[in-house]
């Protein structure tokens, strides 16, 4: 059976986090919720948060670091937490990125031997870096030339969502679920567990209230999503679909997102 570890690989305290009500924490603290899967075919990492290269040179993630105010704790990097769990980082065979924003892809260089799985649209836009997305994609984070594996949705649907089987990791089922909107190729990952499915939704939503039944969406969060989405309408449509999924299949599927400390606390309790 697959063992899943929940890792916070980038605690952040955004300057406007408390004002916008981005989290339940009174300080507006956010996490970078990553997953480490122990499978029969080696280790699999879902997102990386910030990496050792970001800590060594914070300037490489650009001016947004002043808004997000990351803690930059060496012990919080994915590579440090993999070691703390008793594993060799070289045993991370696959990294699955929800998208390539700098707070999700900063640790790629810490796992140079891993295959990096990404939606083909996401990688194409990140490589081109048109002016409107230049701040979010930081090529220094993948200057080591990762072993990219590009995917596009194909095959059967997953609870009504397009999906693609990403990797064969022994007996572990992992499917990429396109959830475009936050970025052009943003995707989640569905992982089969002994108790059903765990769906890492990346930045498809920011707070668990947004996919509650019924959803609770504050004006501040709506503004945040509009300012930080490649396609705000597509992102909202996917958030609505995730809310329906939670309502209709909550006993079969557990939803988490990247930055909600409430999700992280519940699953690490």
């Amino acid at each position: 059976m697959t063992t899943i570890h929940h890792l916070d690989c980038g605690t952040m305290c955004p300057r406007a986090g408390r004002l916008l009500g981005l989290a339940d924490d009174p300080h507006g603290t956010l996490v970078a919720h990553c997953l480490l899967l122990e499978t029969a075919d080696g280790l699999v990492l879902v997102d990386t948060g910030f990496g050792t290269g970001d800590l060594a040179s914070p300037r490489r993630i650009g001016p947004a670091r002043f808004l997000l105010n990351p803690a930059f704790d060496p012990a919080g990097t994915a590579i440090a937490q993999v070691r703390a769990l008793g594993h060799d980082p070289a045993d991370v065979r696959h990294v699955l990125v929800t998208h390539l924003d700098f707070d999700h892809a900063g640790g790629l260089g810490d796992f140079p031997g891993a295959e990096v799985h990404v939606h083909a649209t996401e990688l194409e836009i990140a490589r081109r870096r048109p002016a409107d997305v230049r701040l979010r994609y930081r090529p220094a984070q993948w200057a080591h030339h990762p072993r990219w594996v590009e995917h596009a949705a194909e095959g059967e649907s997953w609870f009504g969502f397009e999906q693609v089987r990403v990797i064969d990791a022994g007996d572990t089922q992992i499917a990429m679920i396109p959830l475009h909107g936050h970025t052009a190729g943003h995707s989640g990952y569905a992982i089969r567990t002994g108790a059903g499915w765990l769906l890492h939704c990346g930045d498809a939503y920011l707070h668990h209230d947004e996919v509650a039944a019924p959803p609770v969406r504050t004006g501040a969060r709506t503004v945040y999503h509009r300012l930080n989405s490649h396609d705000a309408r597509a992102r909202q449509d996917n958030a609505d679909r995730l809310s329906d999924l939670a309502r209709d299949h909550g006993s079969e599927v557990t939803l988490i997102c990247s930055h909600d400390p409430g999700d992280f606390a519940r699953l690490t309790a």
Side-chain angles (χ1 to χ4, degrees), residues 170-187:
D171 58 353
T172 304
Q173 293 178 267
I174 304 174
M176 173 185 280
I177 311 297
L179 297 171
H180 303 339
H182 178 69
T183 65
H186 179 279
S187 300

Side-chain angles (χ1 to χ4, degrees), residues 4-143:
I4 302 178
H5 301 280
H6 296 267
L7 314 178
D8 175 9
C9 299
T11 300
M12 295 164 275
C13 190
R15 303 296 182 187
R18 184 175 181 180
L19 175 65
L20 294 176
L22 299 183
D24 294 327
D25 184 290
H27 303 292
T29 302
L30 304 180
V31 299
H33 194 157
C34 303
L35 304 176
L36 181 69
L37 316 181
E38 296 181 17
T39 79
D41 195 36
L43 301 179
V44 178
L45 190 60
V46 180
D47 278 347
T48 69
F50 296 107
T52 57
D54 302 318
L55 275 63
S57 180
R59 293 180 62 184
R60 81 175 192 165
I61 66 174
R65 68 188 186 278
F66 298 114
L67 295 174
L68 289 178
N69 194 25
F72 283 152
D73 178 8
T77 59
I79 190 171
Q81 294 189 66
V82 167
R83 287 182 176 131
L85 288 166
H87 298 295
D88 184 340
D91 291 335
V92 175
R93 297 190 56 199
H94 304 277
V95 178
L96 318 180
V97 287
T98 59
H99 59 302
L100 290 169
D101 276 0
F102 60 82
D103 55 327
H104 295 256
L108 290 179
D110 294 330
F111 306 96
E115 291 186 343
V116 180
H117 299 259
V118 63
H119 194 282
T121 300
E122 182 71 7
L123 184 57
E124 188 269 329
I125 295 291
R127 281 171 165 164
R128 283 199 296 111
R129 289 183 75 220
D132 59 328
V133 297
R134 200 155 290 164
L135 289 179
R136 73 190 316 160
Y137 297 129
R138 311 304 293 179
Q141 294 182 326
W142 56 82

